[in-house]
Amino acid sequence: MKKNYLLALLSAFLLWLAWPPIPYTAPLLWVAFVPLLLALETIMRSDYRKKGTKVFLLSGLTGLLWNTASIYWVFNAMNAVMPVYVAMFVALIPFGLSAVLMAFAFRLYYQLRKRYAIGWSFAGLVCFWIAYEYLHQTWDLAFPWMTLGNGFADTHQLVQWYEYTGVYGGTVWIWATNILAFLVVLSAKDGFAPAHRRKLSAALAALIVVPSAWSLYRYATYEEYENPSNVVVAQPNVDPYGKFSFITPEAQLDNLIRLSESVAQPNTEFFVWPETAIAAQGGYNEEDFLRHPFFPRIQAFLTAYRNGNILSGIESYLIYSSPETPTAREYNGIYYDAFNAAVLIENSPKLQFYHKSKLVAGVEQFPFGGALAFMKPLFKAFGGTTGGYGRQDKPSVFYSQSGIGAAPVICYESIWGDYVAQYVKQGAQFIAVVTNDGWWGNTSGKDQHLAYAKLRAIETRRWVARSANTGISAFINQRGDVVQQTTWWVPAALKQDINLNEEITFYVTAGDYLAYAGCVGSLVFALLALSTRWKRSN
């Protein structure tokens, strides 16, 4: 088994090395699973006892090491507010949960191999993997950071066809190349005829070259329609751990206005400010915000810009007379929802709010709140949340007075390609990502988050205006190129003439159709795998 563990470690190393933000290494994803597949093949052909358990543990080890090495920064965020031992325990959830789900996919693949041909078994493995990725972007513990198709975020020139498939096209591509590469190696080991190996090698070469060549051609020839709008993004650089102690809300607002004015021009139409940029202890009542002393100050700033709008993150709340939502909290006999929200402020009394939908499990929402509602009094007794943040069920577009549609995407909502596509379906002409990546410190987390936004630009063919509290704010064009960006921990503002787009890509229309197909396929193959096991046990 020692050699098998070394092969599993090699796969974990290759997957980490290929992952953003390490530059120019993404093509390693085409072969990164081959060592692990070879190790699993050795186990399946051996006379070991409990082969299924060994397959599960070996593949789980690969997943655990790959995840931990790639998203180690989760621990940084936890350790900043928790003791080390608590932070390590909490961080094991994102580190280990994906690995367990990956291991289940390989375990079911082994079950198929015991009865069916290798080709059908690999088809099942791909479907199981896609089903795992889709589950991990839809359930209450969602964290689709490590979806395989994200791995090409820093080599976006090779995946311009994501406008047709989304990142699940990348997942299928990566698995198809790995399977063919594995079969090439296996056929050599098993002594197949040279002609057979040449056919497999030719198929592998074609599978890599054809999509890459088409993508590079699309990248080189893609032209944006001229429809300019001037946009400013601000990066105030406020320490997220001292937001309500080191600097007053009034001073934070003045800083945002000063930064915005430093680069604005008379025709600027949008000022994009980061997540929770407008914030105070306890937040702001959305129904009373027009009467808050902040509002006249903001509108006075906007008077210099005829078509100016501020699209900003805000901490807000709504008060109810009864618990109108599952997330409503009770305080002194009244009920309210707190929101991690975005607001559009214009040169009029009109306000538009969007409430973040994709909430961070544990931090912003109580996982499986409906099923575990009976535990809310327990959490309340220990000082914890009884409902988490409020949310809205689907995205909504902000429309300016001049009719421009902007997609307000808050923080890691930008990881969900299909969710962002829904804004575009509703008329969004550009994407505004408001985020606060300062929680993670100066780690690769902020770089990965920026890189993933490039994939949203390609899928929707929309510019992305990204405002981060600190590193990295940026403008990304419709090809996924970062046109401008700031540096870490430096207050800054950027301006850019972006091109608004009204064209709809195939992916925006069809959504994650590959994921749906994979989930259906996984059910079929799982029934085949489990029925085989049931028959053998009877």
Side-chain angles (χ1 to χ4, degrees), residues 71-92 94-95 241 363 438-441 443:
I71 56 172
Y72 66 92
W73 43 264
V74 173
F75 170 77
N76 289 47
M78 301 296 179
N79 192 37
V81 294
M82 302 175 181
V84 173
Y85 64 93
V86 178
M88 289 182 66
F89 175 76
V90 175
L92 280 175
F95 293 163
Y241 297 104
V363 178
W439 300 105
W440 313 330
T443 66

Side-chain angles (χ1 to χ4, degrees), residues 216-233:
L216 291 171
Y217 173 79
R218 177 67 168 156
Y219 177 81
T221 58
Y222 182 84
E223 293 184 4
E224 298 183 6
Y225 293 106
E226 292 291 331
N227 187 12
S229 177
N230 187 261
V231 178
V232 167
V233 298

Side-chain angles (χ1 to χ4, degrees), residues 95-117:
F95 293 163
L97 188 56
S98 293
V100 170
L101 295 173
M102 293 175 196
F104 273 117
F106 283 104
R107 179 64 178 82
L108 288 170
Y109 158 67
Y110 162 71
Q111 202 65 31
L112 282 174
R113 280 292 302 278
K114 291 197 294 185
R115 184 172 180 181
Y116 297 99

Side-chain angles (χ1 to χ4, degrees), residues 270 311 342-344 350-355 392 394-400 403-409 419-432 462:
F270 281 88
L311 193 162
V343 62
L344 187 74
K350 181 182 177 182
L351 293 174
Q352 298 174 59
F353 286 94
Y354 163 73
H355 302 143
Q392 62 183 67
K394 58 183 179 180
S396 54
V397 176
F398 287 160
Y399 285 98
S400 69
I404 297 173
V409 180
Y419 189 77
V420 174
Q422 291 178 49
Y423 287 102
V424 177
K425 276 186 179 179
Q426 295 179 37
Q429 296 162 285
F430 79 98
I431 299 166
R462 296 295 189 271

Side-chain angles (χ1 to χ4, degrees), residues 257-317:
I257 291 175
R258 179 185 59 79
L259 287 169
S260 300
E261 288 176 332
S262 69
V263 296
Q265 50 196 54
N267 67 333
T268 297
E269 294 187 271
F270 281 88
F271 297 91
V272 184
W273 294 352
E275 183 181 14
T276 69
I278 300 175
Q281 199 77 46
Y284 298 94
N285 188 340
E286 292 182 9
E287 295 179 343
D288 290 336
F289 189 64
L290 288 173
R291 293 181 287 275
H292 194 278
F294 270 16
F295 193 73
R297 174 75 178 94
I298 293 172
Q299 287 218 304
F301 159 67
L302 284 176
T303 55
Y305 312 97
R306 181 180 176 183
N307 293 319
N309 303 266
I310 292 174
L311 193 162
S312 176
I314 184 172
E315 288 190 319
S316 64
Y317 62 88

Side-chain angles (χ1 to χ4, degrees), residues 517-535:
C519 289
V520 172
S522 71
L523 290 175
V524 174
F525 283 113
L527 287 174
L528 291 173
L530 296 176
S531 64
T532 301
R533 185 173 186 178
W534 182 83
K535 288 178 181 179

Side-chain angles (χ1 to χ4, degrees), residues 376-442:
K376 289 184 178 181
L378 176 64
F379 278 82
K380 183 178 179 181
F382 282 95
T385 178
T386 60
Y389 278 111
R391 63 197 296 177
Q392 62 183 67
D393 295 330
K394 58 183 179 180
S396 54
V397 176
F398 287 160
Y399 285 98
S400 69
Q401 287 178 301
S402 59
I404 297 173
V409 180
I410 301 176
C411 193
Y412 96 139
E413 285 184 324
S414 62
I415 307 302
W416 277 262
D418 186 52
Y419 189 77
V420 174
Q422 291 178 49
Y423 287 102
V424 177
K425 276 186 179 179
Q426 295 179 37
Q429 296 162 285
F430 79 98
I431 299 166
V433 177
V434 296
T435 186
N436 183 3
D437 294 346
W439 300 105
W440 313 330
N442 189 13

